[in-house]
Amino acid sequence: HGLNDDSSSENRVWAFMKYAATIALLITTSLFFYINFNSAQTDLVSDTQILTIEKSSPAGKRSSIELKDGTRVILNQHSKILFSTDFNEIDRRVEVVGEAFFDVKANAEKPFIVKTNNVYTTALGTSFNVRNMQSEKDISISLTEGSIVVSLDGPKYVATEKSKLLFPGEEAIYTSDSKTMHNRDFDFKKVTGWKDNILYFKNMNALEVAKAIEDWYDVKVIFKNTPSTDWSFSGEFHNETLNNVLEGL
């Protein structure tokens, strides 16, 4: 009877050891898969990190870009647009330095937001011009079609104390010195003619004409004599060379 008890005890001990070994094996296996799964997830996050894409237009060139959402952007010379690689996944945000014309693809669920310094333009589907040249103090947002909200304290969808609702033919002007913004009407061809290669003058004096030519052709205009303050010029040139423009003046 004593021998049977000893044998039973040994069997129980042996069964317990096999059970414990099985649990240890399961824990080790689970830990192995957990570590490798998380390592794979880390690699996946690393491989899909969000980056910034920059598109630019050099001196004397204007370029057309189509974004992933179907929005068409025309960049003026000395200008660039920046956006992230996850553009159009959650929202549609871009940043502009210089001048750009936007023909925004309509999407009510994902408003299109343009940042220019601390000025934000929010649109659903519309066309507008953004001008933020480094040589100028003012930032202008000019609406040609649809409606937009221009704001100073982040993107807005309605007019507030620090935002303006624009309609076609209106532009918002932000003055950096006073940090104020106001609306006014604008001349379509004067503001957006550049995107169609139209050099446009309207009652401009000699200094204004010279500045426009310098910006357009990336040249320096030097006057031999002091220009007359009585002289002014109005006209337009369609995709013309510098020589043809100078002769036309």
Side-chain angles (χ1 to χ4, degrees):
H1 180 73
L3 290 174
N4 289 336
D5 288 344
D6 291 342
S7 177
S8 297
S9 298
E10 289 179 1
N11 289 338
R12 284 196 296 271
V13 170
W14 178 245
F16 173 77
M17 291 178 64
K18 288 196 296 181
Y19 179 70
T22 302
I23 292 176
L25 179 62
L26 287 173
I27 292 174
T28 303
T29 304
S30 299
L31 184 61
F32 172 80
F33 281 111
Y34 175 80
I35 292 173
N36 281 274
F37 175 77
N38 279 276
S39 176
Q41 288 294 94
T42 302
D43 292 341
L44 181 63
V45 171
S46 177
D47 290 342
T48 59
Q49 61 182 315
I50 299 173
L51 304 174
T52 298
I53 299 172
E54 177 180 310
K55 301 286 186 180
S56 60
S57 199
K61 300 289 184 181
R62 294 166 188 83
S63 55
S64 180
I65 302 165
E66 185 169 317
L67 301 178
K68 285 194 297 185
D69 66 331
T71 292
R72 181 168 170 260
V73 185
I74 304 176
L75 278 180
N76 205 347
Q77 60 177 333
H78 297 298
S79 303
K80 62 183 178 181
I81 182 173
L82 301 96
F83 53 93
S84 62
T85 50
D86 67 344
F87 173 86
N88 199 42
E89 290 181 11
I90 300 175
D91 56 16
R92 301 185 291 171
R93 291 176 181 252
V94 301
E95 183 173 353
V96 169
V97 177
E99 186 168 23
F101 182 86
F102 291 88
D103 188 4
V104 177
K105 188 76 171 180
N107 186 342
E109 296 180 357
K110 296 178 182 178
F112 194 96
I113 300 167
V114 180
K115 182 178 183 295
T116 47
N117 285 352
N118 61 328
V119 179
Y120 294 82
T121 303
T122 304
L124 297 178
T126 184
S127 301
F128 57 95
N129 192 81
V130 173
R131 184 174 177 88
N132 174 32
M133 307 303 287
Q134 293 181 344
S135 59
E136 301 173 2
K137 291 184 178 181
D138 292 347
I139 296 174
S140 62
I141 294 90
S142 311
L143 182 66
T144 60
E145 184 180 331
S147 64
I148 55 177
V149 176
V150 182
S151 56
L152 302 179
D153 54 349
K156 301 295 180 185
Y157 306 104
V158 295
T160 65
E161 184 179 343
K162 292 186 177 181
S163 65
K164 303 286 187 182
L165 175 64
L166 299 186
F167 296 98
E170 291 183 326
E171 64 181 358
I173 305 296
Y174 172 75
T175 304
S176 57
D177 288 344
S178 61
K179 293 181 172 54
T180 58
M181 184 169 60
H182 65 277
N183 288 19
R184 70 182 183 190
D185 295 334
F186 71 94
D187 185 318
F188 276 64
K189 192 170 288 187
K190 181 180 179 180
V191 171
T192 65
W194 66 268
K195 70 181 180 64
D196 299 313
N197 288 317
I198 300 174
L199 179 57
Y200 183 73
F201 303 97
K202 186 174 182 180
N203 298 323
M204 288 189 177
N205 61 37
L207 294 177
E208 291 171 331
V209 168
K211 177 66 166 57
I213 290 175
E214 287 178 340
D215 291 344
W216 191 269
Y217 293 102
D218 197 38
V219 296
K220 182 66 177 176
V221 176
I222 300 175
F223 291 96
K224 290 184 178 180
N225 302 302
T226 303
S228 171
T229 56
D230 296 330
W231 184 88
S232 66
F233 179 77
S234 295
E236 57 187 75
F237 299 88
H238 294 245
N239 203 27
E240 291 287 358
T241 64
L242 174 58
N243 286 336
N244 286 346
V245 171
L246 294 177
E247 290 177 4
L249 295 174

mmCIF file of all heavy atoms in Angstrom, residues 55-78:
data_model
loop_
_atom_site.group_PDB
_atom_site.id
_atom_site.type_symbol
_atom_site.label_atom_id
_atom_site.label_comp_id
_atom_site.label_asym_id
_atom_site.label_seq_id
_atom_site.Cartn_x
_atom_site.Cartn_y
_atom_site.Cartn_z
ATOM 1 N N LYS A 55 6.652 71.890 -53.581
ATOM 2 C CA LYS A 55 6.683 72.142 -55.020
ATOM 3 C C LYS A 55 6.958 73.627 -55.223
ATOM 4 O O LYS A 55 6.317 74.467 -54.594
ATOM 5 C CB LYS A 55 5.351 71.771 -55.673
ATOM 6 C CG LYS A 55 4.933 70.315 -55.494
ATOM 7 C CD LYS A 55 5.746 69.385 -56.359
ATOM 8 C CE LYS A 55 5.222 67.947 -56.283
ATOM 9 N NZ LYS A 55 6.004 67.019 -57.127
ATOM 10 N N SER A 56 7.894 73.961 -56.099
ATOM 11 C CA SER A 56 8.250 75.362 -56.286
ATOM 12 C C SER A 56 8.323 75.730 -57.761
ATOM 13 O O SER A 56 8.415 74.866 -58.632
ATOM 14 C CB SER A 56 9.584 75.662 -55.606
ATOM 15 O OG SER A 56 10.617 74.865 -56.151
ATOM 16 N N SER A 57 8.276 77.034 -57.996
ATOM 17 C CA SER A 57 8.374 77.572 -59.353
ATOM 18 C C SER A 57 9.488 78.615 -59.361
ATOM 19 O O SER A 57 9.414 79.603 -58.628
ATOM 20 C CB SER A 57 7.034 78.216 -59.749
ATOM 21 O OG SER A 57 6.922 78.346 -61.138
ATOM 22 N N PRO A 58 10.544 78.406 -60.142
ATOM 23 C CA PRO A 58 11.703 79.312 -60.109
ATOM 24 C C PRO A 58 11.447 80.629 -60.836
ATOM 25 O O PRO A 58 10.361 80.861 -61.380
ATOM 26 C CB PRO A 58 12.779 78.488 -60.828
ATOM 27 C CG PRO A 58 12.007 77.625 -61.785
ATOM 28 C CD PRO A 58 10.724 77.298 -61.083
ATOM 29 N N ALA A 59 12.440 81.465 -60.856
ATOM 30 C CA ALA A 59 12.337 82.765 -61.514
ATOM 31 C C ALA A 59 11.999 82.605 -62.992
ATOM 32 O O ALA A 59 12.563 81.760 -63.686
ATOM 33 C CB ALA A 59 13.653 83.526 -61.365
ATOM 34 N N GLY A 60 11.049 83.418 -63.461
ATOM 35 C CA GLY A 60 10.680 83.411 -64.873
ATOM 36 C C GLY A 60 9.809 82.244 -65.300
ATOM 37 O O GLY A 60 9.501 82.105 -66.481
ATOM 38 N N LYS A 61 9.389 81.406 -64.362
ATOM 39 C CA LYS A 61 8.582 80.236 -64.692
ATOM 40 C C LYS A 61 7.291 80.220 -63.879
ATOM 41 O O LYS A 61 7.236 80.676 -62.744
ATOM 42 C CB LYS A 61 9.363 78.949 -64.406
ATOM 43 C CG LYS A 61 10.662 78.796 -65.177
ATOM 44 C CD LYS A 61 10.404 78.536 -66.650
ATOM 45 C CE LYS A 61 11.720 78.282 -67.387
ATOM 46 N NZ LYS A 61 11.492 78.039 -68.826
ATOM 47 N N ARG A 62 6.248 79.681 -64.492
ATOM 48 C CA ARG A 62 4.991 79.435 -63.796
ATOM 49 C C ARG A 62 4.633 77.972 -64.024
ATOM 50 O O ARG A 62 4.794 77.464 -65.123
ATOM 51 C CB ARG A 62 3.888 80.365 -64.326
ATOM 52 C CG ARG A 62 4.167 81.816 -64.005
ATOM 53 C CD ARG A 62 3.298 82.786 -64.798
ATOM 54 N NE ARG A 62 3.744 84.156 -64.586
ATOM 55 C CZ ARG A 62 4.750 84.725 -65.239
ATOM 56 N NH1 ARG A 62 5.389 84.049 -66.172
ATOM 57 N NH2 ARG A 62 5.108 85.963 -64.964
ATOM 58 N N SER A 63 4.173 77.313 -62.986
ATOM 59 C CA SER A 63 3.940 75.873 -63.101
ATOM 60 C C SER A 63 2.552 75.503 -62.618
ATOM 61 O O SER A 63 1.965 76.181 -61.767
ATOM 62 C CB SER A 63 4.999 75.097 -62.303
ATOM 63 O OG SER A 63 5.019 75.526 -60.959
ATOM 64 N N SER A 64 2.023 74.416 -63.189
ATOM 65 C CA SER A 64 0.699 73.908 -62.835
ATOM 66 C C SER A 64 0.853 72.573 -62.126
ATOM 67 O O SER A 64 1.606 71.709 -62.567
ATOM 68 C CB SER A 64 -0.159 73.748 -64.092
ATOM 69 O OG SER A 64 -1.436 73.265 -63.763
ATOM 70 N N ILE A 65 0.136 72.422 -61.006
ATOM 71 C CA ILE A 65 0.217 71.215 -60.192
ATOM 72 C C ILE A 65 -1.192 70.705 -59.916
ATOM 73 O O ILE A 65 -2.089 71.500 -59.639
ATOM 74 C CB ILE A 65 0.921 71.504 -58.849
ATOM 75 C CG1 ILE A 65 2.328 72.054 -59.077
ATOM 76 C CG2 ILE A 65 0.975 70.251 -57.979
ATOM 77 C CD1 ILE A 65 2.922 72.685 -57.835
ATOM 78 N N GLU A 66 -1.381 69.394 -59.998
ATOM 79 C CA GLU A 66 -2.654 68.802 -59.598
ATOM 80 C C GLU A 66 -2.435 67.977 -58.343
ATOM 81 O O GLU A 66 -1.631 67.044 -58.324
ATOM 82 C CB GLU A 66 -3.248 67.936 -60.709
ATOM 83 C CG GLU A 66 -4.630 67.405 -60.339
ATOM 84 C CD GLU A 66 -5.365 66.763 -61.511
ATOM 85 O OE1 GLU A 66 -5.331 67.322 -62.616
ATOM 86 O OE2 GLU A 66 -5.974 65.699 -61.300
ATOM 87 N N LEU A 67 -3.164 68.313 -57.280
ATOM 88 C CA LEU A 67 -3.043 67.598 -56.011
ATOM 89 C C LEU A 67 -3.845 66.300 -56.041
ATOM 90 O O LEU A 67 -4.635 66.073 -56.956
ATOM 91 C CB LEU A 67 -3.516 68.495 -54.868
ATOM 92 C CG LEU A 67 -2.771 69.825 -54.710
ATOM 93 C CD1 LEU A 67 -3.368 70.646 -53.582
ATOM 94 C CD2 LEU A 67 -1.286 69.597 -54.472
ATOM 95 N N LYS A 68 -3.655 65.451 -55.019
ATOM 96 C CA LYS A 68 -4.285 64.126 -54.989
ATOM 97 C C LYS A 68 -5.804 64.186 -54.999
ATOM 98 O O LYS A 68 -6.461 63.247 -55.456
ATOM 99 C CB LYS A 68 -3.815 63.364 -53.749
ATOM 100 C CG LYS A 68 -2.408 62.840 -53.836
ATOM 101 C CD LYS A 68 -2.118 61.812 -52.756
ATOM 102 C CE LYS A 68 -2.207 62.382 -51.370
ATOM 103 N NZ LYS A 68 -1.806 61.407 -50.322
ATOM 104 N N ASP A 69 -6.377 65.297 -54.510
ATOM 105 C CA ASP A 69 -7.840 65.405 -54.448
ATOM 106 C C ASP A 69 -8.437 65.938 -55.738
ATOM 107 O O ASP A 69 -9.653 66.078 -55.853
ATOM 108 C CB ASP A 69 -8.247 66.302 -53.280
ATOM 109 C CG ASP A 69 -7.811 67.745 -53.488
ATOM 110 O OD1 ASP A 69 -6.781 67.971 -54.171
ATOM 111 O OD2 ASP A 69 -8.496 68.654 -52.986
ATOM 112 N N GLY A 70 -7.585 66.266 -56.731
ATOM 113 C CA GLY A 70 -8.069 66.811 -57.996
ATOM 114 C C GLY A 70 -8.008 68.326 -58.065
ATOM 115 O O GLY A 70 -8.320 68.914 -59.108
ATOM 116 N N THR A 71 -7.605 68.979 -56.989
ATOM 117 C CA THR A 71 -7.448 70.435 -56.983
ATOM 118 C C THR A 71 -6.281 70.836 -57.874
ATOM 119 O O THR A 71 -5.219 70.220 -57.829
ATOM 120 C CB THR A 71 -7.203 70.952 -55.545
ATOM 121 O OG1 THR A 71 -8.385 70.759 -54.778
ATOM 122 C CG2 THR A 71 -6.829 72.420 -55.540
ATOM 123 N N ARG A 72 -6.507 71.877 -58.682
ATOM 124 C CA ARG A 72 -5.461 72.370 -59.574
ATOM 125 C C ARG A 72 -4.857 73.643 -58.994
ATOM 126 O O ARG A 72 -5.575 74.555 -58.584
ATOM 127 C CB ARG A 72 -6.034 72.640 -60.970
ATOM 128 C CG ARG A 72 -5.014 73.133 -61.998
ATOM 129 C CD ARG A 72 -5.612 73.084 -63.389
ATOM 130 N NE ARG A 72 -4.772 73.755 -64.375
ATOM 131 C CZ ARG A 72 -4.975 74.979 -64.843
ATOM 132 N NH1 ARG A 72 -6.018 75.676 -64.410
ATOM 133 N NH2 ARG A 72 -4.163 75.518 -65.731
ATOM 134 N N VAL A 73 -3.535 73.703 -58.963
ATOM 135 C CA VAL A 73 -2.812 74.859 -58.423
ATOM 136 C C VAL A 73 -1.859 75.391 -59.478
ATOM 137 O O VAL A 73 -1.112 74.627 -60.092
ATOM 138 C CB VAL A 73 -2.004 74.478 -57.162
ATOM 139 C CG1 VAL A 73 -1.353 75.718 -56.551
ATOM 140 C CG2 VAL A 73 -2.886 73.781 -56.138
ATOM 141 N N ILE A 74 -1.895 76.709 -59.694
ATOM 142 C CA ILE A 74 -0.942 77.359 -60.592
ATOM 143 C C ILE A 74 -0.022 78.205 -59.723
ATOM 144 O O ILE A 74 -0.476 79.105 -59.011
ATOM 145 C CB ILE A 74 -1.638 78.228 -61.646
ATOM 146 C CG1 ILE A 74 -2.651 77.400 -62.433
ATOM 147 C CG2 ILE A 74 -0.607 78.840 -62.600
ATOM 148 C CD1 ILE A 74 -3.453 78.193 -63.441
ATOM 149 N N LEU A 75 1.267 77.913 -59.778
ATOM 150 C CA LEU A 75 2.261 78.637 -58.993
ATOM 151 C C LEU A 75 2.910 79.724 -59.826
ATOM 152 O O LEU A 75 3.367 79.474 -60.950
ATOM 153 C CB LEU A 75 3.348 77.691 -58.492
ATOM 154 C CG LEU A 75 3.095 76.851 -57.237
ATOM 155 C CD1 LEU A 75 4.330 76.004 -56.944
ATOM 156 C CD2 LEU A 75 2.753 77.724 -56.055
ATOM 157 N N ASN A 76 2.960 80.934 -59.280
ATOM 158 C CA ASN A 76 3.686 82.012 -59.934
ATOM 159 C C ASN A 76 5.182 81.824 -59.675
ATOM 160 O O ASN A 76 5.590 81.020 -58.835
ATOM 161 C CB ASN A 76 3.210 83.370 -59.393
ATOM 162 C CG ASN A 76 3.438 84.490 -60.393
ATOM 163 O OD1 ASN A 76 4.146 84.320 -61.377
ATOM 164 N ND2 ASN A 76 2.836 85.635 -60.148
ATOM 165 N N GLN A 77 6.006 82.583 -60.391
ATOM 166 C CA GLN A 77 7.445 82.474 -60.191
ATOM 167 C C GLN A 77 7.818 82.906 -58.767
ATOM 168 O O GLN A 77 7.072 83.621 -58.097
ATOM 169 C CB GLN A 77 8.170 83.336 -61.204
ATOM 170 C CG GLN A 77 7.834 84.822 -61.134
ATOM 171 C CD GLN A 77 8.633 85.629 -62.120
ATOM 172 O OE1 GLN A 77 9.739 85.245 -62.502
ATOM 173 N NE2 GLN A 77 8.102 86.763 -62.546
ATOM 174 N N HIS A 78 8.947 82.433 -58.292
ATOM 175 C CA HIS A 78 9.425 82.709 -56.931
ATOM 176 C C HIS A 78 8.411 82.257 -55.879
ATOM 177 O O HIS A 78 8.282 82.880 -54.824
ATOM 178 C CB HIS A 78 9.711 84.197 -56.739
ATOM 179 C CG HIS A 78 10.799 84.737 -57.604
ATOM 180 N ND1 HIS A 78 12.102 84.300 -57.548
ATOM 181 C CD2 HIS A 78 10.768 85.697 -58.574
ATOM 182 C CE1 HIS A 78 12.831 84.952 -58.435
ATOM 183 N NE2 HIS A 78 12.054 85.799 -59.069
#
